[in-house]
Amino acid sequence: MSLLAALLTFASTAHAQPRTDVVATLYAEHCAVCHGDNLQGAAQGTPLIGIDLAGGATVSAIAASTAKGSTARGMPAWGETLSADQIHALALFITERRQGTT
């Protein structure tokens, strides 16, 4: 599933915004504090680019890691806060950013 297809199924609360902006905002609100604005990492979180990801780098692996979290690494279980569609959209966003396509 492409980022565009996932975003078209995404919640319609930000109808006027382009869908990529919705996911970028979601990333900024929930992920950037730990993983950095550009996925480069921050004081309390690992980078999401330029390294092998502990849980895997496929869309499904990133979605699973995001949903389940990792207490050992200090990663919250976002599946308790975000919907499955939001998590999938974030996983697509991260995967595509890792590939430099967004």
Side-chain angles (χ1 to χ4, degrees):
M1 176 182 275
S2 72
L3 177 59
L4 179 59
L7 295 174
L8 291 174
T9 62
F10 196 60
S12 62
T13 56
H15 217 41
Q17 285 184 311
R19 297 300 181 190
T20 53
D21 287 351
V22 173
V23 180
T25 299
L26 190 63
Y27 177 86
E29 291 173 354
H30 298 284
C31 310
V33 69
C34 293
H35 296 292
D37 293 336
N38 296 307
L39 289 77
Q40 78 281 8
Q44 65 257 43
T46 61
L48 299 174
I49 56 174
I51 64 164
D52 291 332
L53 299 179
T58 65
V59 173
S60 60
I62 292 170
S65 293
T66 302
K68 295 177 185 173
S70 171
T71 54
R73 293 191 310 265
M75 169 82 174
W78 288 103
E80 300 170 6
T81 305
L82 301 175
S83 72
D85 286 343
Q86 289 173 313
I87 290 170
H88 186 76
L90 282 167
L92 284 168
F93 176 81
I94 292 164
T95 301
E96 290 185 359
R97 292 284 304 265
R98 285 177 58 81
Q99 297 173 353
T101 60
T102 61

